[in-house]
Amino acid sequence: RHLGAKFQYDKPHSTLVAQLALKLFDSLKSEHGLGSRERVLLEVAATLHDIGSYVSPAGHHKHSAYLVESSEVFGLRKSDKAIVSNVVRYHRRTVPKATHESYMSLARQDRAVVSKLAAILRVADALDATKQQKVKNFELEAGEKAYTLWLSDTLGDVTAEREALQEKGDLFGDVFG
């Protein structure tokens, strides 16, 4: 949070995205097979995912990754920072590719962690696409062929969130089916 404040992050947005990401992480525990360490890394990534907007809103995901990688984050080892910076990098449009050096330099197991955490972060970020904190909670239902996110019917118009979820859900589909 200190690093986020240093780069004038949107605290309400980042806090909500972190809460939603952690709920999704917990809801998918049997699917992703990750533990408490990865949960903490997801929380850090969700908190810092937009700090690159301090540098420039255009390409802020890349700037965010650079700022995380270049900063001291208390309690994170170098390997943890590499995972977090990659998760932050992929919270937006692009999915991990073999041509991305920072992703490919990770151990195979860490690349799998990045993909899973980035997929979760993308969904959580999409649920606050308007940055108005409309979606504060959800229920996740796992069906045979799809996951369904159930939202309260009292939220009003969530068209922007639905569209953002459609746009950013590709990595989630690739990772979790």
Side-chain angles (χ1 to χ4, degrees):
R1 289 185 193 97
H2 177 72
L3 185 60
K6 178 179 179 178
F7 294 109
Q8 301 172 7
Y9 75 139
D10 182 342
K11 185 177 181 180
H13 171 68
S14 294
T15 300
L16 179 61
V17 169
Q19 290 169 355
L20 295 171
L22 293 177
K23 179 167 180 157
L24 192 54
F25 180 94
D26 294 342
S27 298
L28 293 165
K29 192 168 187 77
S30 64
E31 298 292 323
H32 58 59
L34 301 175
S36 59
R37 172 182 169 259
E38 291 84 7
R39 191 177 191 276
V40 169
L41 298 180
L42 175 61
E43 183 175 14
V44 173
T47 301
L48 300 176
H49 75 279
D50 279 344
I51 63 172
S53 294
Y54 181 83
V55 176
S56 173
H60 77 273
H61 56 296
K62 292 178 184 178
H63 298 303
S64 295
Y66 172 78
L67 291 173
V68 168
E69 186 66 34
S70 302
S71 300
E72 285 297 319
V73 181
F74 180 76
L76 293 188
R77 300 178 298 227
K78 184 177 179 180
S79 59
D80 293 335
K81 263 194 338 182
I83 290 171
V84 170
S85 70
N86 275 279
V87 172
V88 165
R89 164 72 169 89
Y90 298 113
H91 87 273
R92 208 161 163 231
R93 294 184 185 128
T94 305
V95 296
K97 295 180 183 172
T99 58
H100 296 163
E101 187 178 323
S102 65
Y103 178 74
M104 293 307 294
S105 68
L106 297 172
R108 181 180 220 174
Q109 182 177 345
D110 288 345
R111 288 195 305 263
V113 169
V114 166
S115 294
K116 290 174 183 181
L117 297 183
I120 291 169
L121 179 55
R122 288 166 75 112
V123 170
D125 192 36
L127 290 173
D128 193 34
T130 61
K131 298 187 178 187
Q132 295 177 355
Q133 291 80 50
K134 290 181 190 177
V135 179
K136 294 188 183 337
N137 200 4
F138 63 85
E139 293 301 321
L140 180 69
E141 180 182 318
E144 282 187 38
K145 296 184 179 184
Y147 289 97
T148 304
L149 280 172
W150 293 99
L151 306 177
S152 170
D153 57 2
T154 62
L155 296 177
D157 184 11
V158 289
T159 302
E161 289 79 4
R162 183 179 292 122
E163 289 175 1
L165 194 52
Q166 289 281 333
E167 181 183 316
K168 295 177 95 173
D170 55 346
L171 183 58
F172 188 90
D174 291 345
V175 172
F176 295 105

